[in-house]
Amino acid sequence: GWPAYKDGEKPPVLKPSSIVYVGLRDVDKEEREAIKSLNIKYYSMYDIDRLGIGAVMEKALEHLLKDDPSRPLHLSYDIDAVDPGQAPATGTTVRGGLTYREAHFVAERVASSGNLASADLVELNPTLSDDVGAEETVDLGLQILTSMMGKSII
């Protein structure tokens, strides 16, 4: 099996309480059912519009750190959470995503928590856009990665 575990041994599993989705806007039926049945915390674009990205990120971090304020966090950043006007080179281009500043704020806020231990940036595919769109998306992705590493305005 993958990976190789002894008979009866269970592979490590991420607890649903250790997951928070930020910026959801195009969720298919199966994903919606899984999020609800597993009681995964989420903040849709509606929540971001209503509360603001600052409040959403505070609530997300509060949820993740409530049991252990020093626990390490992993940020899996899906570039298609960003509006396709800012990041067109991705597989799922749905209007109404994060703005340029909101996209940075997510990374900046997790980095400033002091708990960010690892991160990845996914769904960036330069072949899915023209040269200008590919360059814009790659540039934004690189900027988001530097924000994850602690780059801030001041």
Side-chain angles (χ1 to χ4, degrees), residues 2-17:
W2 177 91
Y5 290 98
K6 296 176 185 164
D7 287 337
E9 190 177 54
K10 292 184 179 181
V13 175
L14 187 61
K15 295 177 187 173
S17 62

Side-chain angles (χ1 to χ4, degrees), residues 11-28:
V13 175
L14 187 61
K15 295 177 187 173
S17 62
S18 293
I19 301 170
V20 177
Y21 289 117
V22 174
L24 296 178
R25 67 185 185 288
D26 185 38
V27 182
D28 65 35

